Amino acid sequence: MMLRVLQTVLTFLPFFATVVVAQPAGEPVLLNQLGFYPKSPKIALVRNASSDTYTIRLKGTSRAVFSGQLGPVGTNPHSGKQARVADFSALQTPGIYEVYLSDGAVSPPFEIRENIHRELAHAALKGFYYQRASTPLPGKYAGKWHRPAGHPDTVVFVHPSASSPNRPAGARIASPGGWYDAGDYNKYVVNSGITTATLLALYEDFPQFTRGFAVRIPESGNRIPDLLDEALWNIRWLLTMQDPGDGGVYHKLTNPKFDGTVMPHAAREIRYVVQKSVTATLDFAAVMAQSARIFGSFKRQLPGLSDSCLAAAEKAWIWAENNPQVYYDQGFMNRTFDPDIVTGAYGDRNSADELTWAAAELYLTTRNKKYLTAIDLQATSPLPVPSWSQVLPLACYSLLRHERTLPSEAKPLLRTATAKLLAAADALSDDLAKTPFYTAMGRTAGDFVWGSNAVAANQGILLLQAYRLTNKTHYLHTASGNLDYLLGRNATGYCFVTGFGSKRVLHPHHRPSAADAVAEPVPGLLAGGPNPGQQDQCNSYPGNNPDESYTDVYCSYASNEIAINWNAPLVYLSWALEALHEK
C-alpha cells in the first residue's frame, strides 16, 4: 500500500485460530503460531532465557518429547534486544506442542503435521472474495461477514483529467467489479497489476495443484480453478478501465476523497475514472498478455476472453509507446482540474520496469520479436524485491518459468535473468544466523517500510523462484522462514494474518471489518506490518524501533491496513509451500 492522506467462510480453522485473547507484550518465545511440516526446519526465538536448555511438551501434558540446547545470544541491530535460537527441526512426530523454559515461560501452541498451511492458504485467497466490489456477499459464501452489494459502478464519470474525444469530461461509463484496493473502497489499476499477476503466476507455476484447490466462492465447480475465477473478478474490471478509443488505461476509479468508516453499500459518493498514465497502461498490458496466455487453455469455458485480453494488451502497448512520459501527477492534476482527487496516488515517475515487464509478457504470449527487443533486464540492478512501483522482477520470473519453450533468440535474456535472480536470492539467504529473526526478512532496517509484511512475502516468492530454478533446499527453507516470520517469529509476536494465531490482529484498518457488527475482522487478510514511518500518527505504537513499529488499532493505516498487493504474495507463498511439500 502506498502513502495515503487518510486512511471462506472456512470450513474449519486450526485449533490455535480459536484463541482470541492476545498474549502480553514481550512474549518469551517467538515462533510460527500455526506450526510446521514434519520434515521442515523448526525454529523459535527465545528472549530473556534464564537457562541454556528448553523442552517441548505435548500440549496440555507435562510429558517432554524433546529437549534442546539454546544457541548463542544474538543482538537485534534494530532494537538492541537479545534472543537465542531454539532449533527443534529433529522433532517430526505429528502433534500439538508447546515450548517450555526452565523459568516456567511457555510458547504459544503449535502443530506439526502435513498440510499445516492449508487453512491459511484457503483463507488468504478467500480474502479476495471479501474484497469484491459491485456484488453482494451472501451468507452461503461469506458466513457472518455477509453484506449487501456496494459500489455498483454502473455509472462512473469521466474526470476532466481523463477526457478524450470519444469520452469527454462528464461522460458516463460502466466499470463494475474488481476488488477494493485496501482498507478503502477505491480501485487502482497500478496496484491491481502486480496483485493479479502474482495470482496468475501462482497458477502458471503450480497448475495441477491449484486446479484441485477450492475455497468456496460462487464460481466454485465451474471447471475453472477457484484461483483463476477470483483473478477473473478483477481482470474483467480491468478491461473496463481501457479507453476503447485510443487504448490508454485510466489510472484509477475513485471517489474524490476517502469514504468514512461505513459498509460498502452505505458509501454513495460520486465516482470517477481519472487520468490515463503510462504506468497503469503498461501494468494493464502485462496482465492482459499473461491472462491471454493462461485463458487460452479455457476457451470452451470462456470463449473469446483470451483473444480479447491479447487485443487489449497490444492496444495498450501502442498507447504507451506513443505516450512514454504521461505519468500520473495528482498534485498537478488537482491544480488543473476539478474536483480535486485526494485518494491513493500510486505515483511512479519511472516506467522502465513496467515497460520491460509488459514487453516480456507480450513476447511470451505472441513470440513477436518487437517485444523481445524492448526487454531490458538491466533497467534495475541489483534485482529488487517486487512491489507495485518495481515490477521488473516479474519479467525475470515469467521468462524463467517459460525458459524451456523459448527460442534461441531469448537465451541471452535467460542467462541475465538467472544471474540476477540467483544473486538476489543469495543476498537474502546467506548467513541467516546473523539476522535478527533467523530469516531473510529484517536483514536491514530498509525492509521495514509501509507494507513491510508484503516485503517478507515477496522475498519468499523470490526465494521460491530460485529454488524452482536450482532445486537447492536452502532457498526453500529460507522462503519458509519468511512465512514463519509473518505467522509469529517477529519482534512484535503477532501472527499478522487475521483469523489466525494465538496473538492475532483484531483491529485492522479495514472499513468492512470496522463497520460491520461482527467482533472478529474478516479472516485471511495480511496486516501491513512494522513501519517506523508511523505516518498515521496514532499514539499507540510501542516505540520507534523499525521492527516493532506496529500497533493493532484501526487508526493505524500505516502499520495495520490491509491491501490486495500484500495478500497476493501471501497467497502465493502459502499455496506454493503447500504444493512443494506435497511432492
Side-chain angles (χ1 to χ4, degrees):
M1 191 70 213
M2 59 178 301
L3 297 182
R4 294 176 175 273
V5 288
L6 290 172
Q7 252 287 273
T8 281
V9 176
L10 301 176
T11 54
F12 66 98
L13 292 177
F15 71 93
F16 30 76
T18 63
V19 181
V20 296
V21 179
Q23 296 172 272
E27 295 77 16
V29 183
L30 304 172
L31 48 60
N32 181 332
Q33 293 165 24
L34 276 67
F36 307 91
Y37 300 101
K39 295 184 179 180
S40 69
K42 303 171 188 69
I43 300 291
L45 291 182
V46 177
R47 300 192 283 201
N48 304 316
S50 58
S51 73
D52 295 332
T53 60
Y54 65 94
T55 61
I56 295 179
R57 303 177 187 177
L58 283 166
K59 185 176 182 292
T61 76
S62 59
R63 184 166 67 89
V65 298
F66 186 91
S67 62
Q69 197 83 8
L70 294 174
V73 175
T75 301
N76 185 326
H78 310 310
S79 65
K81 296 178 179 177
Q82 295 183 329
R84 303 175 71 175
V85 168
D87 184 344
F88 48 98
S89 302
L91 178 60
Q92 298 186 6
T93 305
I96 302 172
Y97 301 97
E98 294 167 319
V99 177
Y100 280 81
L101 306 179
S102 61
D103 60 4
V106 62
S107 76
F110 63 91
E111 189 172 8
I112 296 176
R113 66 173 169 89
E114 300 293 350
N115 307 125
I116 189 64
H117 296 124
R118 180 64 61 100
E119 292 77 34
L120 171 70
H122 273 87
L125 181 62
K126 189 67 173 279
F128 283 91
Y129 173 72
Y130 291 113
Q131 289 295 103
R132 288 188 184 188
S134 314
T135 187
L137 306 186
K140 179 179 179 181
Y141 302 105
K144 58 186 174 183
W145 297 281
H146 62 86
R147 58 174 171 81
H151 301 92
D153 289 337
T154 51
V155 177
V156 175
F157 293 91
V158 175
H159 190 265
S161 65
S163 176
S164 64
N166 63 312
R167 287 182 168 181
R172 300 182 179 191
I173 68 169
S175 187
W179 300 308
Y180 295 129
D181 181 68
D184 65 294
Y185 294 141
N186 302 305
K187 301 185 290 192
Y188 306 83
V189 169
V190 166
N191 210 37
S192 282
I194 187 172
T195 301
T196 309
T198 301
L199 299 183
L200 294 178
L202 175 62
Y203 176 79
E204 287 201 283
D205 285 342
F206 302 98
Q208 290 301 121
F209 181 79
T210 57
R211 285 176 188 139
F213 210 95
V215 297
R216 191 167 173 77
I217 55 178
E219 299 83 1
S220 295
N222 65 354
R223 295 189 299 162
I224 299 170
D226 283 5
L227 174 68
L228 294 184
D229 273 323
E230 193 56 59
L232 275 171
W233 187 261
N234 202 63
I235 290 166
R236 290 189 168 112
W237 167 69
L238 283 171
L239 286 167
T240 72
M241 291 292 284
Q242 184 176 45
D243 185 335
D246 60 19
V249 177
Y250 305 116
H251 196 76
K252 59 180 175 176
L253 189 162
T254 182
N255 302 354
K257 60 183 180 180
F258 290 109
D259 290 303
T261 306
V262 297
M263 292 298 288
H265 64 279
R268 299 188 179 91
E269 295 296 318
I270 292 174
R271 284 157 77 85
Y272 296 89
V273 289
V274 301
Q275 183 202 322
K276 298 163 192 168
S277 73
V278 65
T279 50
T281 302
L282 287 170
D283 285 340
F284 172 95
V287 170
M288 289 304 152
Q290 188 182 19
S291 298
R293 187 167 66 245
I294 290 170
F295 291 109
S297 299
F298 295 89
K299 290 186 175 181
R300 177 174 294 182
Q301 297 92 331
L302 300 165
L305 177 65
S306 176
D307 293 339
S308 296
C309 288
L310 182 56
E314 293 184 316
K315 195 168 187 178
W317 176 266
I318 293 170
W319 187 93
E321 281 188 312
N322 294 331
N323 298 273
Q325 299 300 315
V326 180
Y327 296 107
Y328 184 74
D329 185 338
Q330 193 154 281
F332 174 80
M333 185 181 74
N334 288 339
R335 292 190 296 271
T336 310
F337 304 105
D338 290 318
D340 284 1
I341 304 293
V342 297
T343 53
Y346 288 104
D348 183 357
R349 302 290 296 181
N350 183 348
S351 60
D353 54 311
E354 286 87 359
L355 182 71
T356 286
W357 178 35
E361 298 295 355
L362 279 160
Y363 174 69
L364 288 168
T365 301
T366 68
R367 303 302 164 94
N368 187 323
K369 289 186 180 180
K370 76 173 183 178
Y371 300 122
L372 179 66
T373 60
I375 300 172
D376 179 11
L377 297 183
Q378 302 294 352
T380 303
S381 188
L383 189 70
V385 173
S387 66
W388 65 263
S389 61
Q390 181 46 260
V391 293
L392 187 139
L394 305 186
C396 290
Y397 298 170
S398 286
L399 288 167
L400 291 171
R401 73 171 49 100
H402 293 284
E403 64 175 331
R404 293 181 181 177
T405 65
L406 290 179
S408 58
E409 64 188 16
K411 298 304 181 185
L413 276 176
L414 293 172
R415 288 193 290 271
T416 300
T418 298
K420 290 176 74 73
L421 174 62
L422 295 183
D426 288 341
L428 289 171
S429 59
D430 287 349
D431 295 326
L432 288 182
K434 297 179 181 179
T435 62
F437 314 109
Y438 214 79
T439 60
M441 178 60 187
R443 183 182 291 271
T444 70
D447 285 347
F448 298 103
V449 295
W450 198 309
S452 63
N453 284 340
V455 173
N458 275 306
Q459 288 174 343
I461 294 176
L462 190 153
L463 290 158
L464 289 180
Q465 296 299 322
Y467 171 69
R468 284 167 47 79
L469 198 62
T470 65
N471 208 35
K472 292 182 178 179
T473 56
H474 73 277
Y475 293 135
L476 173 64
H477 292 165
T478 309
S480 182
N482 268 26
L483 187 58
D484 290 346
Y485 170 91
L486 294 174
L487 301 180
R489 200 170 92 212
N490 58 70
T492 74
Y494 274 95
C495 176
F496 284 119
V497 184
T498 56
F500 289 83
S502 53
K503 183 177 181 181
R504 61 179 53 189
V505 175
L506 296 174
H507 309 288
H509 187 84
H510 181 238
R511 281 166 176 76
S513 292
D516 64 17
V518 182
E520 301 89 354
V522 168
L525 303 178
L526 180 65
N531 172 17
Q534 300 182 11
Q535 293 87 348
D536 48 55
Q537 300 182 2
C538 286
N539 60 10
S540 58
Y541 284 92
N544 295 316
N545 294 328
D547 56 344
E548 297 174 345
S549 291
Y550 170 80
T551 181
D552 181 24
V553 294
Y554 176 74
C555 77
S556 183
Y557 55 84
S559 79
N560 206 32
E561 189 170 12
I562 65 91
I564 56 174
N565 65 311
W566 304 340
N567 246 63
L570 174 66
V571 171
Y572 187 106
L573 185 57
S574 57
W575 282 51
L577 288 173
E578 282 290 302
L580 291 168
H581 280 89
E582 274 196 358
K583 290 184 178 180

